[in-house]
Coordinates of all heavy atoms in Angstrom, one line a residue:
M140 N -25.0 -58.5 -24.7 CA -25.2 -57.3 -25.7 C -25.2 -55.9 -24.9 O -25.6 -55.9 -23.8 CB -26.6 -57.5 -26.4 CG -26.7 -58.7 -27.2 SD -27.4 -58.1 -28.7 CE -27.3 -59.6 -29.7
S141 N -24.9 -54.9 -25.6 CA -24.7 -53.6 -25.0 C -26.1 -53.0 -25.1 O -26.6 -53.1 -26.1 CB -23.6 -52.8 -25.5 OG -23.9 -52.2 -26.7
D142 N -26.3 -52.2 -24.2 CA -27.6 -51.5 -24.2 C -27.2 -50.0 -24.8 O -26.5 -49.3 -24.4 CB -28.1 -51.3 -22.7 CG -29.4 -50.6 -22.5 OD1 -30.1 -50.5 -23.7 OD2 -29.8 -50.2 -21.6
P143 N -28.1 -49.7 -25.8 CA -27.8 -48.4 -26.5 C -28.1 -47.2 -25.6 O -27.5 -46.1 -25.7 CB -28.8 -48.3 -27.5 CG -29.6 -49.5 -27.7 CD -29.2 -50.4 -26.5
A144 N -28.9 -47.4 -24.5 CA -29.1 -46.3 -23.5 C -27.8 -45.9 -22.7 O -27.6 -44.8 -22.2 CB -30.2 -46.6 -22.6
Q145 N -26.9 -46.9 -22.7 CA -25.6 -46.7 -21.9 C -24.7 -45.8 -22.7 O -23.9 -45.1 -22.1 CB -25.0 -48.1 -21.5 CG -25.9 -48.8 -20.4 CD -25.0 -50.2 -20.2 OE1 -24.2 -50.6 -20.8 NE2 -25.6 -50.8 -19.2
H146 N -24.8 -45.9 -23.9 CA -23.9 -45.1 -24.8 C -24.7 -44.1 -25.8 O -24.9 -44.6 -26.7 CB -23.0 -46.1 -25.7 CG -22.2 -47.0 -24.9 ND1 -21.2 -46.7 -24.2 CD2 -22.5 -48.4 -24.7 CE1 -20.7 -47.8 -23.6 NE2 -21.4 -48.8 -23.8
P147 N -25.1 -43.0 -25.1 CA -25.8 -42.0 -26.0 C -25.0 -41.5 -27.2 O -23.8 -41.4 -27.1 CB -26.1 -40.9 -25.0 CG -25.1 -40.9 -24.0 CD -24.7 -42.5 -23.8
V148 N -25.7 -41.2 -28.2 CA -25.1 -40.9 -29.4 C -24.8 -39.4 -29.4 O -25.7 -38.5 -29.0 CB -26.0 -41.1 -30.8 CG1 -25.3 -40.6 -31.9 CG2 -26.2 -42.7 -30.8
R149 N -23.6 -39.0 -29.6 CA -23.2 -37.6 -29.4 C -23.5 -36.8 -30.9 O -23.2 -37.3 -31.9 CB -21.7 -37.5 -29.1 CG -21.3 -36.0 -29.3 CD -19.9 -35.9 -28.6 NE -20.0 -36.1 -27.2 CZ -19.0 -35.9 -26.4 NH1 -17.9 -35.6 -26.8 NH2 -19.2 -36.3 -25.1
T150 N -24.3 -35.7 -30.7 CA -24.7 -35.1 -32.0 C -23.7 -33.9 -32.2 O -23.7 -33.4 -33.4 CB -26.0 -34.5 -31.9 OG1 -26.3 -33.7 -30.9 CG2 -27.0 -35.8 -31.8
G151 N -23.2 -33.2 -31.2 CA -22.3 -32.0 -31.4 C -20.8 -32.4 -31.6 O -20.4 -33.6 -31.7
P152 N -20.1 -31.5 -31.5 CA -18.6 -31.7 -31.7 C -17.9 -32.2 -30.4 O -18.6 -32.1 -29.4 CB -18.0 -30.2 -31.8 CG -18.9 -29.3 -31.3 CD -20.3 -30.0 -31.5
T153 N -16.8 -33.0 -30.5 CA -16.2 -33.6 -29.4 C -15.7 -32.5 -28.6 O -15.5 -31.3 -29.0 CB -15.1 -34.5 -29.8 OG1 -14.2 -33.7 -30.4 CG2 -15.6 -35.6 -30.7
P154 N -15.4 -32.6 -27.3 CA -14.7 -31.6 -26.5 C -13.4 -30.9 -27.2 O -13.2 -29.9 -27.1 CB -14.5 -32.2 -25.1 CG -15.6 -33.4 -25.0 CD -15.7 -33.8 -26.4
R155 N -12.6 -31.8 -27.6 CA -11.5 -31.4 -28.3 C -11.7 -30.5 -29.5 O -11.1 -29.4 -29.7 CB -10.6 -32.7 -28.7 CG -9.3 -32.3 -29.4 CD -8.5 -33.5 -29.9 NE -7.2 -33.3 -29.5 CZ -6.3 -34.0 -29.3 NH1 -6.5 -35.4 -29.2 NH2 -5.0 -33.7 -29.1
Q156 N -12.7 -30.9 -30.3 CA -13.0 -30.0 -31.4 C -13.6 -28.8 -31.0 O -13.4 -27.6 -31.5 CB -14.0 -30.7 -32.3 CG -13.5 -32.0 -33.0 CD -14.7 -32.7 -33.8 OE1 -15.8 -32.7 -33.2 NE2 -14.3 -33.4 -34.8
A157 N -14.5 -28.7 -29.9 CA -15.0 -27.5 -29.3 C -13.9 -26.6 -28.9 O -13.9 -25.3 -29.1 CB -16.0 -27.7 -28.3
R158 N -12.8 -27.2 -28.2 CA -11.8 -26.3 -27.7 C -11.0 -25.7 -28.8 O -10.6 -24.5 -28.8 CB -10.8 -27.1 -26.9 CG -11.3 -27.3 -25.4 CD -10.2 -28.0 -24.6 NE -9.7 -29.3 -25.0 CZ -10.1 -30.4 -24.7 NH1 -11.1 -30.5 -23.9 NH2 -9.6 -31.5 -25.3
R159 N -10.7 -26.4 -29.9 CA -10.0 -26.0 -31.1 C -10.9 -24.9 -31.7 O -10.3 -23.8 -32.2 CB -9.7 -27.0 -32.1 CG -8.6 -27.9 -31.6 CD -8.1 -28.9 -32.6 NE -7.2 -29.9 -32.1 CZ -6.7 -30.8 -32.9 NH1 -7.2 -31.2 -33.9 NH2 -5.7 -31.5 -32.3
L160 N -12.1 -25.1 -31.8 CA -13.0 -24.1 -32.5 C -13.0 -22.9 -31.6 O -12.8 -21.7 -32.4 CB -14.4 -24.6 -32.6 CG -15.4 -23.7 -33.2 CD1 -15.1 -23.5 -34.6 CD2 -16.9 -24.4 -33.0
R161 N -13.1 -22.9 -30.3 CA -13.0 -21.6 -29.5 C -11.6 -20.9 -29.6 O -11.7 -19.6 -29.7 CB -13.4 -21.9 -28.1 CG -14.8 -22.4 -27.8 CD -15.9 -22.0 -28.5 NE -17.2 -22.4 -28.1 CZ -17.7 -23.5 -28.5 NH1 -17.0 -24.3 -29.3 NH2 -18.9 -23.9 -28.1
V162 N -10.6 -21.7 -29.7 CA -9.3 -21.1 -29.7 C -9.1 -20.4 -31.0 O -8.6 -19.3 -31.1 CB -8.2 -22.1 -29.4 CG1 -6.9 -21.6 -29.8 CG2 -8.1 -22.5 -28.0
T163 N -9.5 -21.0 -32.1 CA -9.5 -20.5 -33.4 C -10.4 -19.3 -33.5 O -9.9 -18.1 -34.1 CB -9.9 -21.5 -34.4 OG1 -9.1 -22.7 -34.4 CG2 -9.8 -20.9 -35.9
A164 N -11.5 -19.2 -33.0 CA -12.4 -18.1 -33.1 C -11.8 -16.9 -32.2 O -11.7 -15.8 -32.8 CB -13.8 -18.5 -32.5
A165 N -11.3 -17.3 -31.2 CA -10.7 -16.0 -30.3 C -9.5 -15.5 -30.9 O -9.1 -14.4 -30.9 CB -10.4 -16.6 -28.8
A166 N -8.6 -16.4 -31.6 CA -7.4 -16.0 -32.3 C -7.7 -15.0 -33.5 O -7.2 -14.1 -33.7 CB -6.6 -17.1 -32.8
V167 N -8.8 -15.5 -34.2 CA -9.3 -14.7 -35.4 C -9.8 -13.3 -34.9 O -9.5 -12.2 -35.4 CB -10.4 -15.3 -36.2 CG1 -11.0 -14.5 -37.1 CG2 -9.7 -16.6 -36.9
L168 N -10.5 -13.3 -33.8 CA -11.0 -12.1 -33.3 C -9.9 -11.2 -32.7 O -9.9 -9.9 -32.8 CB -12.2 -12.4 -32.2 CG -12.8 -11.2 -31.6 CD1 -13.6 -10.4 -32.7 CD2 -13.8 -11.6 -30.5
M169 N -9.0 -11.8 -32.1 CA -7.8 -11.1 -31.6 C -7.1 -10.4 -32.9 O -6.8 -9.3 -32.6 CB -6.9 -11.9 -30.9 CG -5.8 -11.3 -30.1 SD -4.6 -12.5 -29.3 CE -5.4 -12.5 -27.8
S170 N -7.0 -11.1 -33.9 CA -6.3 -10.4 -35.1 C -7.1 -9.3 -35.6 O -6.6 -8.2 -35.9 CB -6.1 -11.6 -36.2 OG -5.4 -12.6 -35.6
V171 N -8.5 -9.5 -35.7 CA -9.4 -8.4 -36.2 C -9.2 -7.2 -35.4 O -9.1 -6.1 -35.7 CB -10.8 -9.0 -36.4 CG1 -11.7 -7.8 -36.7 CG2 -10.9 -9.9 -37.5
A172 N -9.2 -7.5 -33.9 CA -9.2 -6.3 -33.0 C -7.9 -5.7 -33.1 O -7.8 -4.4 -33.0 CB -9.4 -6.9 -31.6
A173 N -6.8 -6.3 -33.4 CA -5.4 -5.7 -33.5 C -5.4 -4.8 -34.7 O -4.8 -3.8 -34.7 CB -4.4 -6.8 -33.6
V174 N -6.0 -5.3 -35.8 CA -6.2 -4.5 -37.0 C -7.0 -3.2 -36.8 O -6.5 -2.2 -37.2 CB -6.6 -5.3 -38.2 CG1 -6.9 -4.4 -39.4 CG2 -5.6 -6.4 -38.7
L175 N -8.1 -3.4 -36.2 CA -8.9 -2.3 -35.9 C -8.1 -1.2 -34.9 O -8.5 -0.1 -35.1 CB -10.2 -2.7 -35.2 CG -11.2 -3.4 -36.3 CD1 -12.5 -4.0 -35.6 CD2 -11.6 -2.4 -37.3
L176 N -7.5 -1.9 -34.0 CA -6.7 -1.0 -33.0 C -5.8 -0.1 -33.9 O -5.6 1.1 -33.5 CB -6.1 -1.9 -31.8 CG -5.3 -1.0 -30.9 CD1 -6.1 0.0 -30.2 CD2 -4.7 -2.1 -29.9
G177 N -5.0 -0.8 -34.7 CA -4.1 -0.1 -35.5 C -4.8 1.0 -36.4 O -4.2 2.2 -36.5
I178 N -5.9 0.7 -36.9 CA -6.7 1.8 -37.7 C -7.0 2.9 -37.0 O -6.9 4.0 -37.3 CB -7.8 1.0 -38.4 CG1 -7.3 0.2 -39.5 CG2 -8.7 2.2 -38.9 CD1 -8.5 -0.7 -40.1
R179 N -7.5 2.7 -35.6 CA -8.0 3.6 -34.7 C -6.9 4.5 -34.4 O -6.9 5.8 -34.2 CB -8.8 3.1 -33.5 CG -9.9 2.3 -33.8 CD -11.0 3.3 -34.3 NE -12.4 2.6 -34.4 CZ -13.0 2.6 -35.4 NH1 -12.8 3.3 -36.5 NH2 -14.1 2.0 -35.4
L180 N -5.7 3.9 -34.1 CA -4.5 4.6 -33.7 C -4.1 5.5 -34.8 O -3.5 6.6 -34.5 CB -3.3 3.6 -33.2 CG -3.5 3.0 -31.9 CD1 -2.4 2.0 -31.7 CD2 -3.5 4.1 -30.8
A181 N -4.1 5.0 -36.1 CA -3.7 5.8 -37.1 C -4.6 7.1 -37.4 O -4.1 8.1 -37.9 CB -3.6 4.9 -38.4
S182 N -5.8 6.8 -37.0 CA -6.8 8.0 -37.3 C -7.0 8.9 -36.0 O -7.8 9.8 -36.0 CB -8.3 7.4 -37.6 OG -8.8 6.8 -36.6
R183 N -6.2 8.6 -35.1 CA -6.0 9.5 -33.9 C -7.4 9.4 -33.3 O -7.9 10.7 -32.8 CB -5.5 10.9 -34.2 CG -4.3 11.0 -34.8 CD -3.4 12.0 -34.5 NE -2.2 12.1 -35.3 CZ -1.0 11.5 -35.2 NH1 -1.0 10.6 -34.1 NH2 -0.1 11.7 -35.9
S184 N -8.1 8.3 -33.0 CA -9.2 8.3 -32.2 C -9.0 8.6 -30.7 O -7.9 8.7 -30.2 CB -9.8 6.9 -32.4 OG -10.4 6.8 -33.5
S185 N -10.1 8.5 -30.0 CA -10.1 8.8 -28.6 C -9.4 7.7 -27.8 O -9.3 6.5 -28.3 CB -11.6 8.7 -28.1 OG -11.6 8.7 -26.7
V186 N -8.9 8.1 -26.7 CA -8.1 7.0 -25.8 C -9.0 5.9 -25.3 O -8.7 4.9 -25.2 CB -7.3 7.8 -24.7 CG1 -6.8 6.8 -23.7 CG2 -6.3 8.8 -25.2
L187 N -10.4 6.3 -25.1 CA -11.3 5.3 -24.8 C -11.5 4.2 -25.8 O -11.7 3.1 -25.4 CB -12.6 6.0 -24.5 CG -12.7 6.9 -23.2 CD1 -14.0 7.8 -23.2 CD2 -12.4 6.3 -22.1
V188 N -11.5 4.6 -27.1 CA -11.6 3.6 -28.1 C -10.4 2.6 -28.2 O -10.6 1.4 -28.2 CB -11.8 4.3 -29.5 CG1 -11.8 3.3 -30.6 CG2 -13.1 5.1 -29.6
V189 N -9.4 3.4 -28.0 CA -8.0 2.4 -27.9 C -8.2 1.5 -26.7 O -7.7 0.3 -26.8 CB -6.8 3.3 -27.9 CG1 -5.5 2.4 -27.6 CG2 -6.6 4.1 -29.1
G190 N -8.6 2.0 -25.5 CA -8.9 1.1 -24.4 C -9.8 0.0 -24.5 O -9.6 -1.2 -24.1
V191 N -10.9 0.3 -25.3 CA -11.9 -0.7 -25.6 C -11.3 -1.9 -26.3 O -11.3 -3.1 -26.0 CB -13.0 -0.2 -26.3 CG1 -14.1 -1.2 -26.8 CG2 -13.9 0.7 -25.3
Y192 N -10.6 -1.5 -27.4 CA -9.9 -2.6 -28.2 C -8.8 -3.3 -27.4 O -8.5 -4.5 -27.6 CB -9.3 -2.1 -29.4 CG -10.5 -1.8 -30.5 CD1 -10.9 -0.5 -30.8 CD2 -11.1 -2.8 -31.1 CE1 -12.0 -0.2 -31.6 CE2 -12.2 -2.5 -31.9 CZ -12.7 -1.4 -32.3 OH -13.7 -1.1 -33.0
G193 N -8.0 -2.6 -26.6 CA -7.1 -3.1 -25.8 C -7.7 -4.1 -24.8 O -7.1 -5.4 -24.5
L194 N -8.9 -3.8 -24.2 CA -9.6 -4.8 -23.3 C -10.1 -6.0 -24.2 O -10.1 -7.2 -23.6 CB -10.6 -4.1 -22.6 CG -10.3 -3.1 -21.6 CD1 -11.5 -2.4 -21.0 CD2 -9.5 -3.8 -20.4
L195 N -10.5 -5.8 -25.4 CA -11.0 -6.8 -26.2 C -9.8 -7.8 -26.4 O -10.0 -9.1 -26.6 CB -11.6 -6.4 -27.5 CG -12.2 -7.5 -28.5 CD1 -13.3 -8.2 -27.7 CD2 -12.6 -6.7 -29.7
L196 N -8.6 -7.3 -26.7 CA -7.4 -8.2 -27.0 C -7.1 -9.0 -25.7 O -6.8 -10.2 -25.7 CB -6.3 -7.3 -27.3 CG -6.3 -6.8 -28.8 CD1 -5.2 -5.7 -28.8 CD2 -6.1 -7.9 -29.8
I197 N -7.3 -8.4 -24.5 CA -7.1 -9.2 -23.3 C -8.2 -10.2 -23.1 O -7.8 -11.3 -22.7 CB -7.1 -8.1 -22.1 CG1 -5.7 -7.2 -22.2 CG2 -7.0 -8.9 -20.8 CD1 -5.8 -6.1 -21.2
L198 N -9.3 -9.8 -23.4 CA -10.4 -10.8 -23.3 C -10.2 -12.0 -24.1 O -10.5 -13.1 -23.9 CB -11.7 -10.2 -23.5 CG -13.0 -11.0 -23.5 CD1 -13.2 -11.4 -22.1 CD2 -14.2 -10.3 -23.9
C199 N -9.7 -11.7 -25.4 CA -9.6 -12.8 -26.3 C -8.4 -13.8 -25.8 O -8.5 -15.0 -25.9 CB -9.0 -12.2 -27.8 SG -10.4 -11.5 -28.7
G200 N -7.5 -13.2 -25.2 CA -6.3 -14.0 -24.6 C -7.0 -14.8 -23.5 O -6.6 -16.0 -23.3
L201 N -7.9 -14.3 -22.7 CA -8.5 -15.0 -21.5 C -9.3 -16.1 -22.1 O -9.3 -17.3 -21.6 CB -9.4 -14.1 -20.8 CG -10.1 -14.6 -19.6 CD1 -9.2 -15.2 -18.6 CD2 -11.1 -13.5 -19.1
V202 N -10.0 -15.9 -23.3 CA -10.9 -17.0 -23.8 C -10.0 -18.0 -24.2 O -10.3 -19.3 -24.2 CB -11.8 -16.3 -25.0 CG1 -12.5 -17.4 -25.7 CG2 -12.8 -15.4 -24.3
I203 N -8.9 -17.8 -24.9 CA -7.9 -18.8 -25.3 C -7.5 -19.7 -24.2 O -7.4 -20.9 -24.2 CB -6.8 -18.2 -26.1 CG1 -7.3 -17.6 -27.5 CG2 -5.7 -19.2 -26.4 CD1 -6.3 -16.9 -28.3
E204 N -7.1 -19.0 -23.2 CA -6.7 -19.8 -22.0 C -7.8 -20.6 -21.4 O -7.6 -21.8 -20.9 CB -6.1 -18.8 -20.9 CG -5.4 -19.4 -19.7 CD -4.3 -20.4 -20.0 OE1 -3.6 -20.1 -21.1 OE2 -4.0 -21.5 -19.4
L205 N -9.0 -20.0 -21.2 CA -10.2 -20.8 -20.8 C -10.5 -22.1 -21.6 O -10.7 -23.0 -21.2 CB -11.5 -19.9 -20.6 CG -11.5 -18.9 -19.5 CD1 -12.7 -17.9 -19.7 CD2 -11.6 -19.5 -18.2
S206 N -10.4 -22.0 -22.9 CA -10.7 -22.9 -23.9 C -9.5 -24.1 -23.7 O -9.8 -25.2 -23.7 CB -10.7 -22.5 -25.3 OG -11.6 -21.6 -25.5
R207 N -8.3 -23.7 -23.5 CA -7.2 -24.6 -23.3 C -7.4 -25.4 -22.0 O -7.0 -26.6 -21.9 CB -5.8 -23.9 -23.2 CG -5.3 -23.5 -24.5 CD -3.9 -22.9 -24.4 NE -2.9 -23.8 -23.6 CZ -2.4 -23.6 -22.5 NH1 -2.4 -22.4 -22.0 NH2 -1.6 -24.5 -22.0
R208 N -8.1 -24.8 -21.0 CA -8.4 -25.6 -19.7 C -9.7 -26.2 -19.7 O -10.1 -26.8 -18.7 CB -8.2 -24.6 -18.6 CG -6.8 -23.9 -18.5 CD -6.8 -22.9 -17.3 NE -5.5 -22.4 -17.2 CZ -4.7 -22.4 -16.2 NH1 -5.1 -23.1 -15.2 NH2 -3.7 -22.0 -16.2
G209 N -10.5 -26.3 -20.8 CA -11.6 -27.0 -20.9 C -12.9 -26.2 -20.6 O -14.0 -26.9 -20.5
R210 N -12.8 -24.9 -20.4 CA -14.0 -24.2 -20.0 C -14.6 -23.5 -21.4 O -14.6 -22.2 -21.5 CB -13.7 -23.1 -19.1 CG -13.0 -23.6 -17.9 CD -14.1 -24.3 -17.1 NE -13.6 -24.8 -15.7 CZ -14.0 -26.0 -15.3 NH1 -14.9 -26.9 -16.0 NH2 -13.6 -26.5 -14.2
T211 N -15.0 -24.3 -22.3 CA -15.3 -23.7 -23.6 C -16.7 -22.9 -23.5 O -16.8 -22.0 -24.3 CB -15.4 -24.8 -24.7 OG1 -16.3 -25.8 -24.3 CG2 -14.1 -25.4 -25.0
R212 N -17.5 -23.4 -22.8 CA -18.9 -22.7 -22.8 C -18.7 -21.2 -22.2 O -19.1 -20.3 -22.7 CB -19.9 -23.4 -21.9 CG -20.4 -24.5 -22.7 CD -21.8 -25.2 -22.1 NE -21.9 -26.4 -22.5 CZ -22.3 -27.4 -21.8 NH1 -22.5 -27.4 -20.5 NH2 -22.5 -28.7 -22.3
L213 N -18.0 -21.3 -21.1 CA -17.6 -20.0 -20.4 C -17.0 -19.0 -21.4 O -17.2 -17.8 -21.5 CB -16.9 -20.2 -19.2 CG -16.4 -18.9 -18.3 CD1 -17.7 -18.1 -17.9 CD2 -15.6 -19.2 -17.1
G214 N -16.0 -19.5 -22.1 CA -15.3 -18.8 -23.1 C -16.1 -18.3 -24.2 O -15.9 -17.2 -24.6
S215 N -17.0 -19.1 -24.7 CA -17.9 -18.7 -25.8 C -18.8 -17.6 -25.2 O -19.0 -16.5 -26.1 CB -18.8 -19.8 -26.1 OG -18.0 -20.8 -26.6
Y216 N -19.4 -17.5 -24.1 CA -20.2 -16.6 -23.5 C -19.4 -15.2 -23.3 O -19.8 -14.2 -23.7 CB -20.8 -17.0 -22.2 CG -21.7 -18.2 -22.3 CD1 -21.8 -19.1 -21.3 CD2 -22.5 -18.4 -23.4 CE1 -22.6 -20.2 -21.3 CE2 -23.3 -19.5 -23.4 CZ -23.4 -20.4 -22.4 OH -24.3 -21.5 -22.4
L217 N -18.3 -15.3 -22.8 CA -17.3 -14.2 -22.6 C -17.0 -13.6 -23.9 O -17.0 -12.4 -24.1 CB -16.1 -14.6 -21.8 CG -16.3 -14.8 -20.3 CD1 -14.9 -15.2 -19.7 CD2 -16.7 -13.4 -19.7
L218 N -16.5 -14.5 -24.9 CA -16.2 -13.9 -26.2 C -17.4 -13.2 -26.8 O -17.2 -12.0 -27.4 CB -15.7 -15.1 -27.1 CG -15.2 -14.7 -28.5 CD1 -13.9 -13.9 -28.1 CD2 -14.8 -16.0 -29.3
G219 N -18.6 -13.7 -26.8 CA -19.8 -13.0 -27.4 C -20.1 -11.8 -26.6 O -20.5 -10.7 -27.3
A220 N -20.0 -11.8 -25.3 CA -20.5 -10.6 -24.5 C -19.4 -9.6 -24.8 O -19.8 -8.3 -24.9 CB -20.6 -11.0 -23.1
G221 N -18.1 -9.9 -24.8 CA -17.0 -9.0 -25.0 C -17.0 -8.4 -26.4 O -16.9 -7.1 -26.4
L222 N -17.3 -9.1 -27.5 CA -17.5 -8.5 -28.8 C -18.7 -7.6 -28.7 O -18.5 -6.5 -29.4 CB -17.6 -9.7 -29.7 CG -17.7 -9.2 -31.2 CD1 -16.6 -8.4 -31.6 CD2 -18.0 -10.4 -32.0
T223 N -19.7 -8.0 -28.3 CA -20.9 -7.0 -28.3 C -20.6 -5.9 -27.6 O -20.9 -4.7 -28.0 CB -22.0 -7.9 -27.6 OG1 -22.4 -9.0 -28.4 CG2 -23.4 -6.9 -27.8
A224 N -20.0 -5.9 -26.3 CA -19.7 -4.7 -25.5 C -18.8 -3.8 -26.3 O -18.9 -2.7 -26.3 CB -19.2 -5.1 -24.2
A225 N -17.6 -4.4 -26.9 CA -16.7 -3.5 -27.5 C -17.3 -2.8 -28.7 O -17.1 -1.7 -29.0 CB -15.6 -4.5 -28.1
L226 N -18.2 -3.5 -29.6 CA -18.9 -2.9 -30.7 C -19.7 -1.8 -30.3 O -19.8 -0.7 -30.8 CB -19.6 -3.8 -31.5 CG -18.7 -4.8 -32.3 CD1 -19.5 -5.9 -33.0 CD2 -17.8 -4.1 -33.2
L227 N -20.4 -2.0 -29.1 CA -21.3 -0.9 -28.7 C -20.5 0.3 -28.1 O -20.8 1.4 -28.3 CB -22.2 -1.4 -27.4 CG -23.4 -2.3 -27.9 CD1 -24.1 -3.0 -26.7 CD2 -24.3 -1.6 -28.9
M228 N -19.4 0.0 -27.3 CA -18.7 1.0 -26.8 C -18.0 1.9 -28.0 O -17.8 3.1 -27.8 CB -17.7 0.4 -25.9 CG -18.2 0.1 -24.4 SD -19.0 1.3 -23.6 CE -17.8 2.5 -23.4
D229 N -17.5 1.2 -29.0 CA -16.9 1.8 -30.1 C -17.9 2.8 -30.8 O -17.6 4.0 -31.0 CB -16.4 0.8 -31.1 CG -15.7 1.5 -32.2 OD1 -15.3 2.6 -32.1 OD2 -15.4 0.7 -33.3
A230 N -19.2 2.4 -31.0 CA -20.2 3.2 -31.5 C -20.5 4.3 -30.6 O -20.7 5.4 -31.1 CB -21.4 2.3 -31.8
V231 N -20.6 4.2 -29.2 CA -21.0 5.1 -28.3 C -19.8 6.2 -28.3 O -20.1 7.4 -28.3 CB -21.2 4.6 -27.0 CG1 -21.3 5.7 -25.9 CG2 -22.6 3.8 -27.1
V232 N -18.6 5.8 -28.2 CA -17.5 6.7 -28.1 C -17.2 7.4 -29.2 O -17.0 8.7 -29.2 CB -16.2 6.0 -27.5 CG1 -15.0 6.9 -27.6 CG2 -16.5 5.4 -26.1
L233 N -17.4 6.9 -30.4 CA -17.1 7.6 -31.7 C -18.2 8.7 -32.0 O -18.0 9.5 -32.8 CB -16.9 6.6 -32.8 CG -15.6 5.9 -32.8 CD1 -15.5 4.9 -34.0 CD2 -14.4 6.9 -32.9
S234 N -19.5 8.4 -31.6 CA -20.5 9.4 -31.9 C -20.7 10.6 -31.0 O -19.9 10.8 -30.2 CB -21.9 8.7 -31.9 OG -22.1 8.1 -30.6

């Protein structure tokens, strides 16, 4: 008979599902950042704001690549920190 302790029950998503979730989240955030960048360019905002959204786009691409390589936790932390930093910088530069 098999011992249940040898095969622990997984409660979260599988690694493949986690990778797909992170790639999807980064792609959605990348799309939102691109739209906001377009709006900021149309309203003739500061170059710093455009730079912040450009860096956010680069960060989203990095998160997608990290997720493809199996580094989903690191990608999640970077995505959260990058989004927070971008929103704070946007608020600071525009005020």
